[in-house]
mmCIF file of all heavy atoms in Angstrom:
data_model
loop_
_atom_site.group_PDB
_atom_site.id
_atom_site.type_symbol
_atom_site.label_atom_id
_atom_site.label_comp_id
_atom_site.label_asym_id
_atom_site.label_seq_id
_atom_site.Cartn_x
_atom_site.Cartn_y
_atom_site.Cartn_z
ATOM 1 N N VAL Z 42 233.377 28.983 95.195
ATOM 2 C CA VAL Z 42 233.677 29.878 94.111
ATOM 3 C C VAL Z 42 234.117 31.251 94.625
ATOM 4 O O VAL Z 42 235.128 31.828 94.180
ATOM 5 C CB VAL Z 42 232.522 30.030 93.111
ATOM 6 C CG1 VAL Z 42 232.799 31.203 92.147
ATOM 7 C CG2 VAL Z 42 232.256 28.749 92.352
ATOM 8 N N SER Z 43 233.389 31.747 95.663
ATOM 9 C CA SER Z 43 233.661 33.032 96.226
ATOM 10 C C SER Z 43 235.043 33.022 96.978
ATOM 11 O O SER Z 43 235.878 33.888 96.808
ATOM 12 C CB SER Z 43 232.579 33.396 97.283
ATOM 13 O OG SER Z 43 231.334 33.541 96.691
ATOM 14 N N ILE Z 44 235.307 31.920 97.634
ATOM 15 C CA ILE Z 44 236.613 31.731 98.334
ATOM 16 C C ILE Z 44 237.754 31.767 97.369
ATOM 17 O O ILE Z 44 238.737 32.419 97.524
ATOM 18 C CB ILE Z 44 236.619 30.514 99.282
ATOM 19 C CG1 ILE Z 44 235.674 30.717 100.454
ATOM 20 C CG2 ILE Z 44 238.009 30.180 99.717
ATOM 21 C CD1 ILE Z 44 235.487 29.407 101.235
ATOM 22 N N SER Z 45 237.588 30.967 96.280
ATOM 23 C CA SER Z 45 238.655 30.828 95.303
ATOM 24 C C SER Z 45 238.863 32.159 94.597
ATOM 25 O O SER Z 45 239.969 32.508 94.198
ATOM 26 C CB SER Z 45 238.307 29.760 94.273
ATOM 27 O OG SER Z 45 237.142 30.116 93.520
ATOM 28 N N ALA Z 46 237.892 32.991 94.436
ATOM 29 C CA ALA Z 46 237.970 34.323 93.838
ATOM 30 C C ALA Z 46 238.859 35.265 94.613
ATOM 31 O O ALA Z 46 239.401 36.151 94.086
ATOM 32 C CB ALA Z 46 236.653 34.907 93.519
ATOM 33 N N TYR Z 47 238.808 35.092 95.945
ATOM 34 C CA TYR Z 47 239.503 35.995 96.809
ATOM 35 C C TYR Z 47 240.713 35.326 97.533
ATOM 36 O O TYR Z 47 241.226 35.923 98.402
ATOM 37 C CB TYR Z 47 238.514 36.583 97.871
ATOM 38 C CG TYR Z 47 237.517 37.495 97.257
ATOM 39 C CD1 TYR Z 47 236.228 36.974 96.987
ATOM 40 C CD2 TYR Z 47 237.817 38.802 96.892
ATOM 41 C CE1 TYR Z 47 235.279 37.830 96.358
ATOM 42 C CE2 TYR Z 47 236.873 39.604 96.330
ATOM 43 C CZ TYR Z 47 235.626 39.103 96.085
ATOM 44 O OH TYR Z 47 234.675 39.886 95.512
ATOM 45 N N ALA Z 48 241.043 34.197 97.114
ATOM 46 C CA ALA Z 48 242.126 33.436 97.794
ATOM 47 C C ALA Z 48 243.354 33.253 96.875
ATOM 48 O O ALA Z 48 244.108 32.337 96.992
ATOM 49 C CB ALA Z 48 241.671 32.055 98.233
ATOM 50 N N VAL Z 49 243.535 34.253 96.043
ATOM 51 C CA VAL Z 49 244.595 34.159 95.051
ATOM 52 C C VAL Z 49 245.881 34.859 95.509
ATOM 53 O O VAL Z 49 246.898 34.805 94.774
ATOM 54 C CB VAL Z 49 244.143 34.752 93.705
ATOM 55 C CG1 VAL Z 49 245.031 34.292 92.514
ATOM 56 C CG2 VAL Z 49 242.730 34.399 93.409
ATOM 57 N N GLU Z 50 245.843 35.484 96.665
ATOM 58 C CA GLU Z 50 246.976 36.302 97.038
ATOM 59 C C GLU Z 50 248.266 35.522 97.120
ATOM 60 O O GLU Z 50 248.336 34.463 97.796
ATOM 61 C CB GLU Z 50 246.718 36.971 98.438
ATOM 62 C CG GLU Z 50 247.876 37.874 98.912
ATOM 63 C CD GLU Z 50 247.493 38.707 100.036
ATOM 64 O OE1 GLU Z 50 246.280 38.822 100.444
ATOM 65 O OE2 GLU Z 50 248.480 39.306 100.618
ATOM 66 N N PRO Z 51 249.286 35.977 96.415
ATOM 67 C CA PRO Z 51 250.587 35.259 96.443
ATOM 68 C C PRO Z 51 251.217 35.186 97.847
ATOM 69 O O PRO Z 51 250.832 36.099 98.627
ATOM 70 C CB PRO Z 51 251.407 36.140 95.480
ATOM 71 C CG PRO Z 51 250.457 36.810 94.596
ATOM 72 C CD PRO Z 51 249.307 37.083 95.463
ATOM 73 N N THR Z 52 252.022 34.240 98.115
ATOM 74 C CA THR Z 52 252.483 34.034 99.420
ATOM 75 C C THR Z 52 253.706 34.873 99.790
ATOM 76 O O THR Z 52 254.085 34.913 100.920
ATOM 77 C CB THR Z 52 252.898 32.592 99.632
ATOM 78 O OG1 THR Z 52 253.925 32.248 98.680
ATOM 79 C CG2 THR Z 52 251.702 31.706 99.420
ATOM 80 N N ASP Z 53 254.188 35.621 98.789
ATOM 81 C CA ASP Z 53 255.509 36.287 99.076
ATOM 82 C C ASP Z 53 255.457 37.817 98.735
ATOM 83 O O ASP Z 53 256.490 38.458 98.426
ATOM 84 C CB ASP Z 53 256.642 35.703 98.192
ATOM 85 C CG ASP Z 53 256.319 35.715 96.716
ATOM 86 O OD1 ASP Z 53 255.151 35.959 96.337
ATOM 87 O OD2 ASP Z 53 257.290 35.489 95.918
ATOM 88 N N ILE Z 54 254.247 38.436 98.808
ATOM 89 C CA ILE Z 54 254.154 39.849 98.517
ATOM 90 C C ILE Z 54 253.662 40.674 99.724
ATOM 91 O O ILE Z 54 253.434 41.921 99.580
ATOM 92 C CB ILE Z 54 253.250 40.140 97.340
ATOM 93 C CG1 ILE Z 54 251.828 39.691 97.647
ATOM 94 C CG2 ILE Z 54 253.833 39.424 96.079
ATOM 95 C CD1 ILE Z 54 250.802 40.159 96.578
ATOM 96 N N SER Z 55 253.492 40.077 100.897
ATOM 97 C CA SER Z 55 253.038 40.790 102.067
ATOM 98 C C SER Z 55 253.968 41.949 102.377
ATOM 99 O O SER Z 55 255.207 41.814 102.489
ATOM 100 C CB SER Z 55 252.971 39.875 103.221
ATOM 101 O OG SER Z 55 252.461 40.553 104.421
ATOM 102 N N ASN Z 56 253.397 43.143 102.435
ATOM 103 C CA ASN Z 56 254.134 44.409 102.784
ATOM 104 C C ASN Z 56 255.114 44.799 101.656
ATOM 105 O O ASN Z 56 255.960 45.700 101.878
ATOM 106 C CB ASN Z 56 254.875 44.281 104.086
ATOM 107 C CG ASN Z 56 253.937 44.094 105.295
ATOM 108 O OD1 ASN Z 56 252.867 44.735 105.333
ATOM 109 N ND2 ASN Z 56 254.337 43.227 106.173
ATOM 110 N N HIS Z 57 255.001 44.193 100.488
ATOM 111 C CA HIS Z 57 255.822 44.596 99.373
ATOM 112 C C HIS Z 57 255.323 45.855 98.776
ATOM 113 O O HIS Z 57 254.062 46.118 98.793
ATOM 114 C CB HIS Z 57 255.855 43.494 98.228
ATOM 115 C CG HIS Z 57 256.886 43.682 97.187
ATOM 116 N ND1 HIS Z 57 256.719 44.612 96.193
ATOM 117 C CD2 HIS Z 57 258.120 43.158 97.055
ATOM 118 C CE1 HIS Z 57 257.791 44.564 95.431
ATOM 119 N NE2 HIS Z 57 258.613 43.707 95.938
ATOM 120 N N TRP Z 58 256.215 46.790 98.325
ATOM 121 C CA TRP Z 58 255.688 48.090 97.838
ATOM 122 C C TRP Z 58 254.702 47.962 96.649
ATOM 123 O O TRP Z 58 253.940 48.866 96.347
ATOM 124 C CB TRP Z 58 256.946 48.921 97.410
ATOM 125 C CG TRP Z 58 257.721 48.402 96.215
ATOM 126 C CD1 TRP Z 58 258.841 47.627 96.307
ATOM 127 C CD2 TRP Z 58 257.416 48.542 94.803
ATOM 128 N NE1 TRP Z 58 259.289 47.309 95.052
ATOM 129 C CE2 TRP Z 58 258.468 47.916 94.114
ATOM 130 C CE3 TRP Z 58 256.451 49.278 94.118
ATOM 131 C CZ2 TRP Z 58 258.459 47.877 92.723
ATOM 132 C CZ3 TRP Z 58 256.470 49.237 92.735
ATOM 133 C CH2 TRP Z 58 257.462 48.533 92.078
ATOM 134 N N ALA Z 59 254.834 46.818 95.910
ATOM 135 C CA ALA Z 59 253.960 46.655 94.694
ATOM 136 C C ALA Z 59 252.767 45.682 95.021
ATOM 137 O O ALA Z 59 252.125 45.225 94.099
ATOM 138 C CB ALA Z 59 254.811 46.111 93.598
ATOM 139 N N GLN Z 60 252.504 45.513 96.292
ATOM 140 C CA GLN Z 60 251.502 44.487 96.697
ATOM 141 C C GLN Z 60 250.122 44.775 95.986
ATOM 142 O O GLN Z 60 249.486 43.891 95.408
ATOM 143 C CB GLN Z 60 251.310 44.481 98.184
ATOM 144 C CG GLN Z 60 250.234 43.478 98.671
ATOM 145 C CD GLN Z 60 250.207 43.395 100.118
ATOM 146 O OE1 GLN Z 60 250.937 44.052 100.878
ATOM 147 N NE2 GLN Z 60 249.280 42.574 100.693
ATOM 148 N N ASP Z 61 249.663 45.989 96.035
ATOM 149 C CA ASP Z 61 248.383 46.318 95.462
ATOM 150 C C ASP Z 61 248.329 46.095 93.947
ATOM 151 O O ASP Z 61 247.363 45.619 93.398
ATOM 152 C CB ASP Z 61 247.943 47.738 95.841
ATOM 153 C CG ASP Z 61 247.637 47.946 97.289
ATOM 154 O OD1 ASP Z 61 247.415 46.886 97.992
ATOM 155 O OD2 ASP Z 61 247.656 49.125 97.788
ATOM 156 N N TYR Z 62 249.453 46.543 93.243
ATOM 157 C CA TYR Z 62 249.498 46.336 91.840
ATOM 158 C C TYR Z 62 249.458 44.861 91.492
ATOM 159 O O TYR Z 62 248.745 44.424 90.559
ATOM 160 C CB TYR Z 62 250.819 46.939 91.287
ATOM 161 C CG TYR Z 62 250.984 48.460 91.511
ATOM 162 C CD1 TYR Z 62 252.101 48.935 92.165
ATOM 163 C CD2 TYR Z 62 250.009 49.389 91.054
ATOM 164 C CE1 TYR Z 62 252.262 50.295 92.375
ATOM 165 C CE2 TYR Z 62 250.203 50.758 91.282
ATOM 166 C CZ TYR Z 62 251.381 51.135 91.933
ATOM 167 O OH TYR Z 62 251.515 52.528 92.137
ATOM 168 N N ILE Z 63 250.241 44.095 92.192
ATOM 169 C CA ILE Z 63 250.326 42.623 91.963
ATOM 170 C C ILE Z 63 249.002 41.972 92.193
ATOM 171 O O ILE Z 63 248.498 41.174 91.334
ATOM 172 C CB ILE Z 63 251.407 42.013 92.824
ATOM 173 C CG1 ILE Z 63 252.798 42.540 92.439
ATOM 174 C CG2 ILE Z 63 251.375 40.528 92.770
ATOM 175 C CD1 ILE Z 63 253.933 42.219 93.397
ATOM 176 N N LEU Z 64 248.365 42.269 93.282
ATOM 177 C CA LEU Z 64 247.049 41.631 93.611
ATOM 178 C C LEU Z 64 246.029 42.009 92.556
ATOM 179 O O LEU Z 64 245.201 41.087 92.122
ATOM 180 C CB LEU Z 64 246.529 42.169 94.967
ATOM 181 C CG LEU Z 64 247.141 41.602 96.199
ATOM 182 C CD1 LEU Z 64 246.617 42.149 97.447
ATOM 183 C CD2 LEU Z 64 246.859 39.962 96.197
ATOM 184 N N SER Z 65 246.022 43.226 92.091
ATOM 185 C CA SER Z 65 245.121 43.628 91.007
ATOM 186 C C SER Z 65 245.233 42.741 89.814
ATOM 187 O O SER Z 65 244.272 42.238 89.163
ATOM 188 C CB SER Z 65 245.291 45.097 90.691
ATOM 189 O OG SER Z 65 244.509 45.419 89.545
ATOM 190 N N LEU Z 66 246.462 42.561 89.296
ATOM 191 C CA LEU Z 66 246.696 41.786 88.151
ATOM 192 C C LEU Z 66 246.522 40.318 88.269
ATOM 193 O O LEU Z 66 245.967 39.644 87.387
ATOM 194 C CB LEU Z 66 248.150 42.096 87.576
ATOM 195 C CG LEU Z 66 248.426 43.531 87.180
ATOM 196 C CD1 LEU Z 66 249.795 43.642 86.494
ATOM 197 C CD2 LEU Z 66 247.393 43.970 86.176
ATOM 198 N N VAL Z 67 246.927 39.776 89.457
ATOM 199 C CA VAL Z 67 246.702 38.359 89.752
ATOM 200 C C VAL Z 67 245.197 38.019 89.799
ATOM 201 O O VAL Z 67 244.777 37.008 89.194
ATOM 202 C CB VAL Z 67 247.435 37.927 91.015
ATOM 203 C CG1 VAL Z 67 247.069 36.526 91.444
ATOM 204 C CG2 VAL Z 67 248.987 37.971 90.786
ATOM 205 N N ASN Z 68 244.482 38.823 90.490
ATOM 206 C CA ASN Z 68 243.066 38.594 90.670
ATOM 207 C C ASN Z 68 242.263 38.676 89.377
ATOM 208 O O ASN Z 68 241.223 38.145 89.197
ATOM 209 C CB ASN Z 68 242.458 39.492 91.706
ATOM 210 C CG ASN Z 68 242.852 39.047 93.161
ATOM 211 O OD1 ASN Z 68 242.972 37.814 93.374
ATOM 212 N ND2 ASN Z 68 242.997 39.996 94.042
ATOM 213 N N ASN Z 69 242.866 39.533 88.383
ATOM 214 C CA ASN Z 69 242.154 39.677 87.108
ATOM 215 C C ASN Z 69 242.807 38.780 86.096
ATOM 216 O O ASN Z 69 242.518 38.973 84.878
ATOM 217 C CB ASN Z 69 242.226 41.142 86.666
ATOM 218 C CG ASN Z 69 241.316 42.067 87.433
ATOM 219 O OD1 ASN Z 69 240.153 41.831 87.404
ATOM 220 N ND2 ASN Z 69 241.866 43.030 88.131
ATOM 221 N N GLU Z 70 243.701 37.870 86.500
ATOM 222 C CA GLU Z 70 244.267 36.848 85.604
ATOM 223 C C GLU Z 70 245.120 37.467 84.499
ATOM 224 O O GLU Z 70 245.264 36.933 83.455
ATOM 225 C CB GLU Z 70 243.269 35.902 85.072
ATOM 226 C CG GLU Z 70 242.505 35.121 86.186
ATOM 227 C CD GLU Z 70 241.487 34.156 85.620
ATOM 228 O OE1 GLU Z 70 241.238 34.212 84.369
ATOM 229 O OE2 GLU Z 70 240.953 33.358 86.338
ATOM 230 N N VAL Z 71 245.684 38.606 84.812
ATOM 231 C CA VAL Z 71 246.618 39.280 83.863
ATOM 232 C C VAL Z 71 248.018 38.709 84.020
ATOM 233 O O VAL Z 71 248.727 38.486 83.079
ATOM 234 C CB VAL Z 71 246.578 40.862 84.050
ATOM 235 C CG1 VAL Z 71 247.647 41.475 83.159
ATOM 236 C CG2 VAL Z 71 245.216 41.353 83.683
ATOM 237 N N MET Z 72 248.380 38.547 85.345
ATOM 238 C CA MET Z 72 249.700 37.941 85.607
ATOM 239 C C MET Z 72 249.397 36.743 86.511
ATOM 240 O O MET Z 72 248.332 36.666 87.196
ATOM 241 C CB MET Z 72 250.636 38.891 86.285
ATOM 242 C CG MET Z 72 251.126 40.012 85.378
ATOM 243 S SD MET Z 72 252.328 41.140 86.142
ATOM 244 C CE MET Z 72 253.813 40.116 86.094
ATOM 245 N N GLU Z 73 250.299 35.759 86.514
ATOM 246 C CA GLU Z 73 250.103 34.538 87.301
ATOM 247 C C GLU Z 73 251.136 34.316 88.340
ATOM 248 O O GLU Z 73 252.223 34.922 88.304
ATOM 249 C CB GLU Z 73 250.087 33.307 86.276
ATOM 250 C CG GLU Z 73 249.026 33.441 85.195
ATOM 251 C CD GLU Z 73 249.157 32.320 84.235
ATOM 252 O OE1 GLU Z 73 250.130 31.581 84.309
ATOM 253 O OE2 GLU Z 73 248.230 32.156 83.433
ATOM 254 N N THR Z 74 250.803 33.478 89.258
ATOM 255 C CA THR Z 74 251.740 33.065 90.291
ATOM 256 C C THR Z 74 252.491 31.748 89.826
ATOM 257 O O THR Z 74 252.024 31.076 88.950
ATOM 258 C CB THR Z 74 251.062 32.759 91.651
ATOM 259 O OG1 THR Z 74 250.090 31.785 91.421
ATOM 260 C CG2 THR Z 74 250.515 34.099 92.230
ATOM 261 N N TYR Z 75 253.562 31.429 90.531
ATOM 262 C CA TYR Z 75 254.261 30.225 90.188
ATOM 263 C C TYR Z 75 253.683 29.063 91.088
ATOM 264 O O TYR Z 75 252.881 29.336 91.970
ATOM 265 C CB TYR Z 75 255.787 30.415 90.555
ATOM 266 C CG TYR Z 75 256.523 31.309 89.595
ATOM 267 C CD1 TYR Z 75 256.565 32.701 89.797
ATOM 268 C CD2 TYR Z 75 257.093 30.807 88.464
ATOM 269 C CE1 TYR Z 75 257.228 33.546 88.900
ATOM 270 C CE2 TYR Z 75 257.748 31.670 87.576
ATOM 271 C CZ TYR Z 75 257.814 33.029 87.794
ATOM 272 O OH TYR Z 75 258.487 33.812 86.922
ATOM 273 N N THR Z 76 254.157 27.878 90.754
ATOM 274 C CA THR Z 76 253.719 26.767 91.566
ATOM 275 C C THR Z 76 254.163 26.943 93.010
ATOM 276 O O THR Z 76 255.303 27.321 93.258
ATOM 277 C CB THR Z 76 254.406 25.472 91.042
ATOM 278 O OG1 THR Z 76 254.068 25.284 89.660
ATOM 279 C CG2 THR Z 76 253.920 24.206 91.814
ATOM 280 N N GLY Z 77 253.185 26.780 93.912
ATOM 281 C CA GLY Z 77 253.530 27.089 95.323
ATOM 282 C C GLY Z 77 252.965 28.398 95.780
ATOM 283 O O GLY Z 77 252.997 28.757 96.977
ATOM 284 N N GLY Z 78 252.366 29.146 94.801
ATOM 285 C CA GLY Z 78 251.680 30.400 95.196
ATOM 286 C C GLY Z 78 252.590 31.624 95.276
ATOM 287 O O GLY Z 78 252.119 32.675 95.702
ATOM 288 N N GLN Z 79 253.848 31.512 94.825
ATOM 289 C CA GLN Z 79 254.707 32.668 94.895
ATOM 290 C C GLN Z 79 254.583 33.531 93.616
ATOM 291 O O GLN Z 79 254.399 32.989 92.540
ATOM 292 C CB GLN Z 79 256.125 32.233 95.111
ATOM 293 C CG GLN Z 79 256.463 31.651 96.438
ATOM 294 C CD GLN Z 79 257.912 31.311 96.559
ATOM 295 O OE1 GLN Z 79 258.578 30.844 95.676
ATOM 296 N NE2 GLN Z 79 258.497 31.600 97.731
ATOM 297 N N PHE Z 80 254.769 34.796 93.795
ATOM 298 C CA PHE Z 80 254.792 35.733 92.591
ATOM 299 C C PHE Z 80 256.211 36.047 92.206
ATOM 300 O O PHE Z 80 256.470 36.371 91.043
ATOM 301 C CB PHE Z 80 254.050 37.004 92.995
ATOM 302 C CG PHE Z 80 253.927 37.968 91.836
ATOM 303 C CD1 PHE Z 80 252.928 37.727 90.834
ATOM 304 C CD2 PHE Z 80 254.768 39.040 91.668
ATOM 305 C CE1 PHE Z 80 252.798 38.600 89.709
ATOM 306 C CE2 PHE Z 80 254.670 39.909 90.563
ATOM 307 C CZ PHE Z 80 253.707 39.699 89.636
ATOM 308 N N LYS Z 81 257.163 36.026 93.095
ATOM 309 C CA LYS Z 81 258.535 36.300 92.813
ATOM 310 C C LYS Z 81 258.718 37.719 92.289
ATOM 311 O O LYS Z 81 259.074 37.940 91.161
ATOM 312 C CB LYS Z 81 259.178 35.275 91.958
ATOM 313 C CG LYS Z 81 259.104 33.839 92.477
ATOM 314 C CD LYS Z 81 259.822 32.892 91.587
ATOM 315 C CE LYS Z 81 259.683 31.469 92.130
ATOM 316 N NZ LYS Z 81 260.360 30.443 91.295
ATOM 317 N N PRO Z 82 258.290 38.721 93.108
ATOM 318 C CA PRO Z 82 258.221 40.087 92.636
ATOM 319 C C PRO Z 82 259.584 40.705 92.198
ATOM 320 O O PRO Z 82 259.608 41.543 91.280
ATOM 321 C CB PRO Z 82 257.698 40.927 93.812
ATOM 322 C CG PRO Z 82 258.007 40.060 94.990
ATOM 323 C CD PRO Z 82 257.865 38.606 94.536
ATOM 324 N N GLU Z 83 260.667 40.297 92.786
ATOM 325 C CA GLU Z 83 261.970 40.814 92.378
ATOM 326 C C GLU Z 83 262.665 40.093 91.256
ATOM 327 O O GLU Z 83 263.745 40.457 90.790
ATOM 328 C CB GLU Z 83 262.880 40.847 93.616
ATOM 329 C CG GLU Z 83 262.334 41.687 94.781
ATOM 330 C CD GLU Z 83 261.938 43.071 94.362
ATOM 331 O OE1 GLU Z 83 262.704 43.749 93.549
ATOM 332 O OE2 GLU Z 83 260.884 43.584 94.739
ATOM 333 N N GLN Z 84 262.033 38.989 90.811
ATOM 334 C CA GLN Z 84 262.646 38.226 89.679
ATOM 335 C C GLN Z 84 262.403 39.014 88.394
ATOM 336 O O GLN Z 84 261.368 39.664 88.171
ATOM 337 C CB GLN Z 84 262.012 36.873 89.583
ATOM 338 C CG GLN Z 84 262.474 36.011 88.416
ATOM 339 C CD GLN Z 84 261.904 34.618 88.514
ATOM 340 O OE1 GLN Z 84 262.238 33.825 89.394
ATOM 341 N NE2 GLN Z 84 261.101 34.239 87.586
ATOM 342 N N SER Z 85 263.359 38.913 87.458
ATOM 343 C CA SER Z 85 263.216 39.630 86.198
ATOM 344 C C SER Z 85 262.094 39.023 85.395
ATOM 345 O O SER Z 85 261.891 37.828 85.416
ATOM 346 C CB SER Z 85 264.475 39.530 85.374
ATOM 347 O OG SER Z 85 265.563 40.164 86.019
ATOM 348 N N ILE Z 86 261.372 39.914 84.716
ATOM 349 C CA ILE Z 86 260.308 39.364 83.812
ATOM 350 C C ILE Z 86 260.855 39.246 82.461
ATOM 351 O O ILE Z 86 261.690 39.949 81.948
ATOM 352 C CB ILE Z 86 259.069 40.297 83.877
ATOM 353 C CG1 ILE Z 86 257.833 39.628 83.161
ATOM 354 C CG2 ILE Z 86 259.352 41.615 83.204
ATOM 355 C CD1 ILE Z 86 256.523 40.366 83.454
ATOM 356 N N THR Z 87 260.388 38.204 81.799
ATOM 357 C CA THR Z 87 260.842 37.913 80.385
ATOM 358 C C THR Z 87 260.057 38.758 79.368
ATOM 359 O O THR Z 87 259.054 39.322 79.680
ATOM 360 C CB THR Z 87 260.661 36.442 79.956
ATOM 361 O OG1 THR Z 87 259.251 36.168 79.964
ATOM 362 C CG2 THR Z 87 261.437 35.544 80.950
#
Side-chain angles (χ1 to χ4, degrees):
V42 169
S43 299
I44 290 173
S45 63
Y47 292 98
V49 197
E50 181 168 349
T52 59
D53 58 347
I54 64 167
S55 180
N56 298 318
H57 191 280
W58 65 265
Q60 181 176 358
D61 290 343
Y62 299 125
I63 294 168
L64 282 176
S65 172
L66 296 187
V67 169
N68 285 326
N69 286 301
E70 299 182 350
V71 173
M72 293 183 76
E73 298 176 352
T74 57
Y75 289 90
T76 303
Q79 290 185 319
F80 184 79
K81 300 182 181 180
E83 299 309 316
Q84 178 172 295
S85 296
I86 192 169
T87 62

